[in-house]
Amino acid sequence: MSIITLRESITQALREEMALDENVFIMGCDVGLRGNPFGITKGLMNEYGEKRVIDTPISEAAFTGLGVGAAIAGMRPLVEILYADWITLPMDNIVNTAAKTCYMFGGQANVPIVIRAPFGVGGGVAAQHSQNNENWFVHVPGLKVITPSTPYDMKGMLKSAIRDNGPVICFEHKRNYSVKGEVPDGEYLVPIGKAAIRKTGTDCTIVAYSYMTYVAEEAAKELEKDGISCEVIDLRSLLPLDYDTVMESIKKTSRVVVVTEAPLRGSIAGEIVGEIIDRGFDLLDAPPQRLGSKNSPVAYNEGLEAMCTPKKEDIIAAVRKTFE
């Protein structure tokens, strides 16, 4: 067992899967010589050569389209979008080709592509480098969407994604890259579509994912001091989403708060609350609460940036509201 950062866990997953399968290759802006802005692919070009770690022109639509075609032809491309904000550029390739090809060809063609995208608020990098746009892709049949928050989960789920025969988008929160955690030294996989319980509790369920899981855990610790026991669920995967674990928790707690860092309007928080009501309205002792960012572009100023996103105090207030 080793203690490494989430950033390092991604590098390990990429290195191991490239060693296991020569069809696995990486491409994107600055992934080769520079090793990406976060240092994740640093050194991999030296290990595997320029044909398997490909520095591309700055054209997300072009290299994502190339990746989709390579996947259909039998390769396993790992496409990196430098910032998730720019995933708007290859939307047609992702939504209309990658997600639909297997269905339209009656299962005769697979698209085993993984698209990695750093996302989320933090660091004062302004409106075009700070978006949470994971919600857009949860709406698309044919895709899988994962958002691991720990080094253990990131490595295991990314390896599962690379071996999956369909398109998977992996959203990596920039604030999580420096998070440290234990990762086994041997081979392991984490299944896509299974949530994790980060903290057990009996009074209220807090459903979160990615960076907001850590904020939720902080809130739960504060509430514990006042005698309110919260169960914190890290979804890990948004599509498919593990409603069984969510509902089992609500059976026990009878209250729920759903937290996302994305702008609340049109976010997955509303979808989760709707599903909870459909599956277990009678289990609830209080209306479900939703939390998300303000419906505003993310400011460059870090003080304004912080004002827009859910904080520990917001989650605490939402939990308390379920007891009113």
Side-chain angles (χ1 to χ4, degrees):
M1 192 75 74
S2 302
I3 297 177
I4 61 174
T5 63
L6 186 136
R7 176 188 293 107
E8 292 168 324
S9 74
I10 298 171
T11 308
Q12 284 190 9
L14 301 179
R15 178 177 284 115
E16 289 177 13
E17 293 304 303
M18 291 181 78
L20 287 170
D21 187 348
E22 63 181 12
N23 289 317
V24 177
F25 71 98
I26 300 170
M27 64 177 172
C29 295
D30 292 333
V31 297
L33 292 174
R34 189 181 177 193
N36 120 331
F38 305 101
I40 289 167
T41 54
K42 189 174 182 179
L44 294 180
M45 178 179 275
N46 292 334
E47 292 180 49
Y48 293 102
E50 295 181 10
K51 289 186 177 180
R52 294 188 66 194
V53 182
I54 305 169
D55 273 326
T56 67
I58 304 175
S59 178
E60 286 77 9
F63 65 71
T64 303
L66 176 61
V68 172
I72 294 171
M75 304 294 285
R76 290 188 177 271
L78 296 163
V79 171
E80 180 179 298
I81 308 295
L82 210 56
Y83 284 88
D85 309 66
W86 306 334
I87 208 167
T88 53
L89 297 162
M91 284 291 276
D92 182 63
N93 291 313
I94 297 170
V95 173
N96 287 326
T97 306
K100 306 294 192 298
T101 293
C102 182
Y103 174 79
M104 292 177 69
F105 284 84
Q108 297 180 77
N110 293 318
V111 191
I113 185 173
V114 175
I115 299 171
R116 294 181 40 248
F119 80 129
V121 178
V125 290
Q128 294 179 338
H129 298 72
S130 305
Q131 292 178 79
N132 287 263
N133 45 23
E134 66 278 8
N135 304 283
W136 304 346
F137 299 95
V138 176
H139 184 69
V140 181
L143 296 178
K144 291 181 180 177
V145 180
I146 60 175
T147 59
S149 61
T150 68
Y152 176 88
D153 288 344
M154 180 59 77
K155 181 177 179 180
M157 292 188 80
L158 186 54
K159 287 169 70 72
S160 293
I162 294 168
R163 299 182 191 187
D164 197 286
N165 284 327
V168 182
I169 305 179
C170 179
F171 284 98
E172 305 161 3
H173 202 292
K174 300 187 292 291
R175 280 179 169 172
N176 289 346
Y177 279 143
S178 298
V179 169
K180 291 185 177 181
E182 291 187 341
V183 172
D185 296 323
E187 167 79 2
Y188 76 98
L189 298 172
V190 174
I192 293 172
K194 181 65 178 173
I197 297 174
R198 299 297 180 203
K199 179 187 175 300
T200 58
T202 56
D203 299 328
C204 185
T205 299
I206 306 175
V207 179
Y209 61 92
S210 197
Y211 178 70
M212 281 295 119
T213 302
Y214 295 106
V215 182
E217 287 181 289
E218 292 175 9
K221 289 176 184 176
E222 288 293 318
L223 288 160
E224 199 85 42
K225 297 175 184 177
D226 294 330
I228 299 175
S229 172
C230 291
E231 185 145 292
V232 178
I233 295 177
D234 180 357
L235 292 174
R236 302 195 294 189
S237 170
L238 302 182
L239 184 63
L241 196 149
D242 182 8
Y243 282 107
D244 289 343
T245 295
V246 173
M247 297 312 299
E248 281 300 315
S249 178
I250 292 172
K251 283 181 184 178
K252 179 171 55 173
T253 66
S254 73
R255 294 173 172 83
V256 63
V257 174
V258 182
V259 187
T260 177
E261 191 181 80
L264 189 58
R265 183 178 60 223
S267 74
I268 193 174
E271 170 66 22
I272 293 171
V273 166
E275 192 72 24
I276 288 169
I277 290 171
D278 283 348
R279 290 177 180 238
F281 179 79
D282 291 340
L283 300 173
L284 296 167
D285 286 345
Q289 298 298 306
R290 297 179 300 141
L291 279 179
S293 290
K294 300 290 190 293
N295 296 311
S296 166
V298 179
Y300 178 73
N301 179 280
E302 291 192 55
L304 294 175
E305 177 187 74
M307 288 175 63
C308 287
T309 55
K311 294 173 283 297
K312 174 181 69 174
E313 292 76 15
D314 299 319
I315 298 175
I316 290 171
V319 170
R320 291 189 185 282
K321 191 172 182 179
T322 67
F323 289 91
E324 292 178 355

Coordinates of all heavy atoms in Angstrom, one line a residue, residues 202-207 243 246-258 269-290 318-319 321-324:
T202 N -27.2 8.4 11.0 CA -28.6 7.9 11.2 C -29.7 9.0 11.1 O -30.9 8.6 11.0 CB -28.7 7.3 12.7 OG1 -28.3 8.4 13.6 CG2 -27.8 6.1 12.9
D203 N -29.3 10.2 11.0 CA -30.3 11.3 11.0 C -30.6 12.0 9.7 O -31.7 12.5 9.5 CB -29.9 12.4 12.0 CG -29.8 11.8 13.4 OD1 -30.5 10.9 13.8 OD2 -28.9 12.3 14.2
C204 N -29.6 12.0 8.8 CA -29.8 12.7 7.5 C -28.7 12.2 6.5 O -27.6 12.0 6.9 CB -29.7 14.2 7.7 SG -30.0 15.1 6.1
T205 N -29.1 12.0 5.3 CA -28.2 11.6 4.2 C -27.8 12.8 3.4 O -28.6 13.6 3.0 CB -28.9 10.6 3.3 OG1 -29.3 9.4 4.1 CG2 -28.0 10.1 2.2
I206 N -26.5 12.9 3.2 CA -26.0 13.9 2.4 C -25.4 13.2 1.1 O -24.4 12.4 1.2 CB -24.9 14.8 3.0 CG1 -25.4 15.4 4.3 CG2 -24.4 15.9 2.1 CD1 -24.3 16.1 5.1
V207 N -25.9 13.5 0.0 CA -25.5 12.9 -1.3 C -24.6 14.0 -2.0 O -25.0 15.1 -2.2 CB -26.7 12.5 -2.2 CG1 -26.2 12.0 -3.5 CG2 -27.6 11.5 -1.4
Y243 N -28.6 4.4 -7.3 CA -29.7 4.8 -6.4 C -30.0 3.8 -5.3 O -30.6 4.2 -4.3 CB -31.0 5.0 -7.3 CG -31.0 6.3 -8.0 CD1 -30.8 6.4 -9.4 CD2 -31.2 7.5 -7.4 CE1 -30.7 7.6 -10.1 CE2 -31.2 8.8 -8.0 CZ -31.0 8.8 -9.4 OH -30.9 10.0 -10.1
V246 N -28.2 5.0 -2.3 CA -28.9 6.3 -1.8 C -30.2 5.9 -1.1 O -30.4 6.4 0.0 CB -29.2 7.2 -3.0 CG1 -30.0 8.4 -2.5 CG2 -27.9 7.7 -3.6
M247 N -31.0 5.1 -1.6 CA -32.3 4.8 -1.0 C -32.1 3.9 0.2 O -32.9 4.1 1.2 CB -33.2 4.1 -2.0 CG -33.5 4.9 -3.3 SD -34.1 6.6 -2.9 CE -35.6 6.2 -2.0
E248 N -31.1 3.1 0.3 CA -30.9 2.3 1.5 C -30.5 3.2 2.7 O -30.9 3.0 3.8 CB -29.8 1.3 1.3 CG -30.2 0.0 0.6 CD -31.3 -0.7 1.3 OE1 -31.2 -0.9 2.6 OE2 -32.3 -1.1 0.7
S249 N -29.8 4.3 2.4 CA -29.4 5.3 3.4 C -30.6 6.0 3.8 O -30.8 6.3 5.0 CB -28.3 6.2 2.8 OG -28.0 7.2 3.8
I250 N -31.5 6.4 2.9 CA -32.7 7.2 3.2 C -33.7 6.4 4.0 O -34.4 7.0 4.9 CB -33.3 7.8 2.0 CG1 -32.4 8.9 1.3 CG2 -34.7 8.4 2.2 CD1 -32.8 9.4 0.0
K251 N -33.7 5.1 3.8 CA -34.6 4.3 4.6 C -34.2 4.4 6.1 O -35.0 4.3 7.0 CB -34.4 2.8 4.2 CG -35.1 2.4 2.9 CD -34.9 1.0 2.6 CE -35.6 0.6 1.3 NZ -35.4 -0.8 0.9
K252 N -32.9 4.6 6.3 CA -32.4 4.7 7.7 C -32.5 6.1 8.3 O -32.9 6.2 9.5 CB -30.9 4.3 7.7 CG -30.2 4.3 9.0 CD -28.8 3.7 9.0 CE -28.0 4.3 7.9 NZ -26.6 3.8 7.9
T253 N -32.3 7.1 7.4 CA -32.2 8.5 8.0 C -33.5 9.3 7.8 O -33.8 10.2 8.6 CB -31.1 9.3 7.3 OG1 -31.4 9.4 5.9 CG2 -29.8 8.6 7.4
S254 N -34.3 9.0 6.8 CA -35.6 9.6 6.4 C -35.4 11.1 6.0 O -36.4 11.8 5.8 CB -36.6 9.5 7.6 OG -36.3 10.4 8.6
R255 N -34.2 11.6 5.8 CA -33.9 13.0 5.4 C -32.8 12.9 4.4 O -31.9 12.1 4.5 CB -33.6 13.9 6.6 CG -34.8 14.1 7.5 CD -34.3 14.9 8.7 NE -35.4 15.2 9.6 CZ -36.0 14.4 10.5 NH1 -35.5 13.2 10.7 NH2 -37.0 14.8 11.2
V256 N -32.8 13.9 3.5 CA -31.7 13.9 2.5 C -31.4 15.3 2.0 O -32.3 16.2 1.8 CB -32.1 13.0 1.3 CG1 -33.3 13.5 0.5 CG2 -30.9 12.9 0.3
V257 N -30.1 15.6 1.8 CA -29.6 16.8 1.2 C -28.7 16.4 0.0 O -27.8 15.6 0.2 CB -28.8 17.7 2.2 CG1 -28.2 18.9 1.5 CG2 -29.7 18.1 3.3
V258 N -29.0 17.0 -1.2 CA -28.2 16.7 -2.3 C -27.3 17.9 -2.7 O -27.9 19.0 -2.9 CB -29.1 16.2 -3.5 CG1 -28.2 15.9 -4.7 CG2 -30.0 15.1 -3.2
A269 N -28.7 17.6 -9.3 CA -29.3 17.6 -8.0 C -30.8 17.4 -8.1 O -31.4 16.7 -7.4 CB -28.9 18.8 -7.2
G270 N -31.4 18.2 -9.1 CA -32.9 18.1 -9.2 C -33.3 16.7 -9.7 O -34.3 16.2 -9.3
E271 N -32.5 16.1 -10.6 CA -32.8 14.8 -11.1 C -32.7 13.7 -10.0 O -33.6 12.9 -9.9 CB -31.8 14.4 -12.2 CG -31.8 12.9 -12.7 CD -33.1 12.5 -13.4 OE1 -33.8 13.4 -13.9 OE2 -33.4 11.3 -13.4
I272 N -31.7 13.9 -9.1 CA -31.6 12.9 -8.0 C -32.7 13.1 -7.0 O -33.3 12.1 -6.6 CB -30.2 13.2 -7.3 CG1 -29.1 12.8 -8.2 CG2 -30.1 12.4 -6.0 CD1 -27.7 13.2 -7.7
V273 N -33.1 14.3 -6.7 CA -34.2 14.5 -5.8 C -35.5 13.9 -6.4 O -36.3 13.3 -5.8 CB -34.4 16.0 -5.5 CG1 -35.8 16.3 -4.9 CG2 -33.3 16.5 -4.6
G274 N -35.7 14.2 -7.7 CA -36.9 13.6 -8.4 C -37.0 12.1 -8.3 O -38.0 11.5 -8.1
E275 N -35.8 11.5 -8.5 CA -35.7 10.0 -8.5 C -36.0 9.5 -7.0 O -36.6 8.5 -6.8 CB -34.4 9.5 -9.0 CG -34.3 8.0 -9.2 CD -35.0 7.6 -10.4 OE1 -35.3 8.4 -11.4 OE2 -35.4 6.4 -10.5
I276 N -35.5 10.2 -6.1 CA -35.7 9.8 -4.7 C -37.2 9.9 -4.3 O -37.7 9.0 -3.7 CB -34.9 10.8 -3.7 CG1 -33.4 10.5 -3.8 CG2 -35.3 10.6 -2.3 CD1 -32.5 11.5 -3.1
I277 N -37.8 10.9 -4.8 CA -39.3 11.1 -4.5 C -40.0 9.9 -5.2 O -41.0 9.3 -4.6 CB -39.8 12.4 -5.0 CG1 -39.2 13.5 -4.1 CG2 -41.3 12.5 -5.0 CD1 -39.4 14.9 -4.6
D278 N -39.7 9.6 -6.4 CA -40.4 8.5 -7.1 C -40.2 7.2 -6.4 O -41.1 6.4 -6.4 CB -39.8 8.4 -8.6 CG -40.4 9.5 -9.5 OD1 -41.4 10.1 -9.1 OD2 -39.9 9.7 -10.6
R279 N -39.0 7.0 -6.0 CA -38.6 5.7 -5.4 C -39.0 5.5 -3.9 O -39.2 4.4 -3.5 CB -37.1 5.4 -5.5 CG -36.6 5.2 -6.9 CD -35.1 5.0 -6.9 NE -34.6 4.8 -8.3 CZ -33.9 3.7 -8.7 NH1 -33.6 2.8 -7.8 NH2 -33.5 3.6 -9.9
G280 N -39.1 6.6 -3.2 CA -39.3 6.5 -1.8 C -39.9 7.7 -1.1 O -39.4 8.1 0.0
F281 N -41.0 8.3 -1.7 CA -41.6 9.5 -1.1 C -42.0 9.2 0.4 O -41.9 10.0 1.3 CB -42.8 9.9 -1.9 CG -43.5 11.1 -1.3 CD1 -43.1 12.4 -1.5 CD2 -44.7 10.9 -0.6 CE1 -43.7 13.5 -1.0 CE2 -45.4 12.0 -0.1 CZ -44.9 13.3 -0.3
D282 N -42.6 8.0 0.6 CA -43.1 7.7 1.9 C -42.0 7.5 3.0 O -42.3 7.4 4.2 CB -43.9 6.4 1.9 CG -45.2 6.6 1.1 OD1 -45.7 7.8 1.0 OD2 -45.8 5.6 0.6
L283 N -40.8 7.4 2.5 CA -39.6 7.2 3.4 C -39.2 8.5 4.1 O -38.5 8.5 5.1 CB -38.4 6.6 2.7 CG -38.6 5.2 2.1 CD1 -37.4 4.8 1.3 CD2 -38.9 4.2 3.2
L284 N -39.6 9.6 3.5 CA -39.1 10.9 3.8 C -39.9 11.6 4.9 O -41.2 11.6 4.9 CB -39.1 11.9 2.6 CG -38.2 11.4 1.5 CD1 -38.5 12.3 0.2 CD2 -36.7 11.6 1.9
D285 N -39.3 12.1 5.9 CA -39.9 12.9 7.0 C -39.9 14.4 6.8 O -40.4 15.1 7.6 CB -39.3 12.5 8.4 CG -39.6 11.2 8.9 OD1 -40.6 10.6 8.3 OD2 -38.9 10.7 9.8
A286 N -39.2 14.8 5.7 CA -39.0 16.2 5.4 C -38.7 16.3 3.9 O -38.2 15.4 3.3 CB -37.9 16.8 6.2
P287 N -39.1 17.5 3.3 CA -38.8 17.7 1.9 C -37.2 17.6 1.6 O -36.5 18.1 2.4 CB -39.3 19.1 1.6 CG -40.3 19.4 2.7 CD -39.8 18.6 3.9
P288 N -36.8 17.0 0.6 CA -35.4 16.9 0.2 C -34.9 18.3 -0.1 O -35.6 19.2 -0.6 CB -35.4 16.1 -1.1 CG -36.7 15.3 -1.1 CD -37.7 16.2 -0.4
Q289 N -33.6 18.5 0.3 CA -33.0 19.8 0.0 C -31.9 19.7 -1.1 O -31.2 18.7 -1.1 CB -32.3 20.3 1.3 CG -33.3 20.6 2.5 CD -34.3 21.7 2.1 OE1 -34.0 22.8 1.7 NE2 -35.6 21.3 2.3
R290 N -31.8 20.7 -1.9 CA -30.8 20.8 -3.0 C -29.9 22.0 -2.8 O -30.4 23.0 -2.4 CB -31.5 20.9 -4.4 CG -32.4 19.8 -4.8 CD -33.0 20.2 -6.2 NE -33.8 21.4 -6.1 CZ -33.8 22.3 -7.1 NH1 -33.0 22.1 -8.2 NH2 -34.5 23.4 -7.0
A318 N -28.7 23.5 5.3 CA -29.7 22.7 4.6 C -30.1 21.4 5.4 O -31.3 21.0 5.4 CB -29.1 22.2 3.2
V319 N -29.1 20.8 6.1 CA -29.4 19.7 6.9 C -30.4 20.1 8.1 O -31.4 19.5 8.4 CB -28.1 19.1 7.5 CG1 -28.5 18.0 8.6 CG2 -27.3 18.4 6.4
K321 N -32.5 22.5 8.1 CA -33.8 22.8 7.5 C -34.7 21.5 7.4 O -35.9 21.6 7.5 CB -33.7 23.4 6.1 CG -34.9 24.0 5.6 CD -34.7 24.8 4.3 CE -36.0 25.4 3.8 NZ -35.8 26.2 2.6
T322 N -34.1 20.4 7.3 CA -34.9 19.1 7.2 C -35.4 18.8 8.6 O -36.3 17.9 8.6 CB -34.0 18.0 6.7 OG1 -33.0 17.6 7.6 CG2 -33.4 18.3 5.3
F323 N -35.0 19.4 9.6 CA -35.5 19.2 11.0 C -36.5 20.2 11.4 O -37.1 20.1 12.5 CB -34.4 19.1 12.0 CG -33.6 17.9 11.8 CD1 -32.4 17.9 11.0 CD2 -33.9 16.7 12.5 CE1 -31.6 16.8 10.8 CE2 -33.1 15.5 12.3 CZ -32.0 15.6 11.5
E324 N -36.8 21.2 10.6 CA -37.8 22.3 11.0 C -39.2 21.8 10.9 O -39.5 20.9 10.1 CB -37.6 23.5 10.0 CG -36.2 24.2 10.2 CD -36.1 25.3 9.3 OE1 -36.9 25.5 8.4 OE2 -35.0 26.0 9.4

